[in-house]
Amino acid sequence: MIKVLVTGAGGDVGQGAIRSLLSLEIPVKIFATCVNKYSSWLYHPEVISYIAPLSSSKEYIPFLIKILNKFEINLLITTVDSEISLISKNKKLIEDSTKAIVFVDNYRSVSICNDKYLTYKFLKENNFAYLKTNLFSEFKLLKKKSD
């Protein structure tokens, strides 16, 4: 049996992840966290749930590690935009401290995806289709040159 922890059980992506896991034809035990005690998926009969501290709290990563270890969870799926960078930054620590695989990309890739200008530069440098993008500071310089 695969044990999976899904963060953000109250959000759309968290709910979708849990629904997908529930539909698998392999045995899966689902654990979930959310910061809001009123999140409906925390009370699903097939999900073992916990109220988590805010991801901005210094207690958040230790909380995840504790849950992952306590239940010998195999996979951590993060679904909350505001915590993806944090979990990505701490991926090695979490994996080294537990037996879980953290399902998030490396911090550099996450940083590129979180920044529209860095995404533009990445697409341009790697010959992908992209929309011309400028920083606001560059736009002001371009406007001054054209005056």
Side-chain angles (χ1 to χ4, degrees), residues 118-131:
L118 290 178
T119 300
Y120 153 75
K121 285 174 50 175
F122 174 84
L123 294 172
K124 183 178 179 181
E125 290 166 5
N126 290 282
N127 299 312
F128 289 102
Y130 62 91
L131 294 173

Side-chain angles (χ1 to χ4, degrees), residues 101-121:
I101 295 169
V102 178
F103 192 68
V104 70
D105 208 344
N106 66 67
Y107 184 68
R108 181 178 177 274
S109 296
V110 169
S111 297
I112 290 170
C113 292
N114 281 340
D115 184 303
K116 290 179 182 178
Y117 189 71
L118 290 178
T119 300
Y120 153 75
K121 285 174 50 175

